[in-house]
Amino acid sequence: MAENNDNDILDLDEEDYSTVLAPDIEFNGLIEFSDPLMIRGKVDGRIHATSDLLVDTGAVVNADIHARRVVIKGSVRGNIVAGKIVRVFSTGKLNGDITAPEVVLDTGCFFSGSCTMNREADA
C-alpha cells in the first residue's frame, strides 16, 4: 500500500489483505493487528490496530475500533478512532462516535453518533 494515498484502501481486493475473517467466523474478544484486516464475519469486543480495517458488506461488528484507516461496508456498533480516515459506504451502518482527521459518509449510508474531525494523528 502506498503510504501517502489514503484512498488506496478503497481499491483493495480480498487478496490484498494480510488476514480475512471469513463470513462463517464469529470472534469474541480483543483483536490487535499491524497488517490490513478484512472482516466478513461477526466480531464482538475491541479492535486495536496500527493498520487498516475493512468491515465488508454483510459483516457485523460490535466493538470499539482504534485503527489507522477504517472502511465500513457492513454494520458497526461502537466508537471509532482513526489516525487517517473513516469512510462509510452506502451499504454501511455505523452506530457510534467517530474521531478522525477525515470522515466520508456516502449517500445512502446510516450513521448515528457524533463526529469529531481532528488533525491527523497516529492511530
Side-chain angles (χ1 to χ4, degrees):
M1 258 193 284
E3 188 69 28
N4 294 332
N5 186 354
D6 287 334
N7 291 323
D8 60 358
I9 190 176
L10 308 177
D11 299 324
L12 296 179
D13 294 319
E14 181 175 336
E15 58 269 7
D16 296 315
Y17 286 86
S18 301
T19 305
V20 177
L21 259 58
D24 63 334
I25 293 177
E26 292 188 21
F27 181 87
N28 293 301
L30 170 65
I31 298 177
E32 293 183 308
F33 58 94
S34 57
D35 291 325
L37 172 69
M38 176 188 287
I39 297 175
R40 291 193 152 167
K42 183 176 180 183
V43 173
D44 288 300
R46 291 184 301 138
I47 299 171
H48 190 274
T50 56
S51 187
D52 305 327
L53 173 68
L54 168 63
V55 178
D56 206 9
T57 306
V60 177
V61 175
N62 294 302
D64 287 338
I65 299 169
H66 188 139
R68 184 169 171 262
R69 298 182 296 183
V70 179
V71 173
I72 301 170
K73 295 181 177 182
S75 175
V76 174
R77 180 177 297 277
N79 298 323
I80 298 175
V81 176
K84 297 280 185 182
I85 185 172
V86 174
R87 179 165 180 191
V88 183
F89 275 73
S90 62
T91 58
K93 298 175 185 155
L94 173 59
N95 285 288
D97 299 337
I98 301 172
T99 302
E102 184 176 352
V103 177
V104 179
L105 301 173
D106 286 0
T107 300
C109 77
F110 176 84
F111 171 62
S112 178
S114 66
C115 178
T116 303
M117 295 177 71
N118 56 6
R119 292 186 183 266
E120 197 166 297
D122 293 326

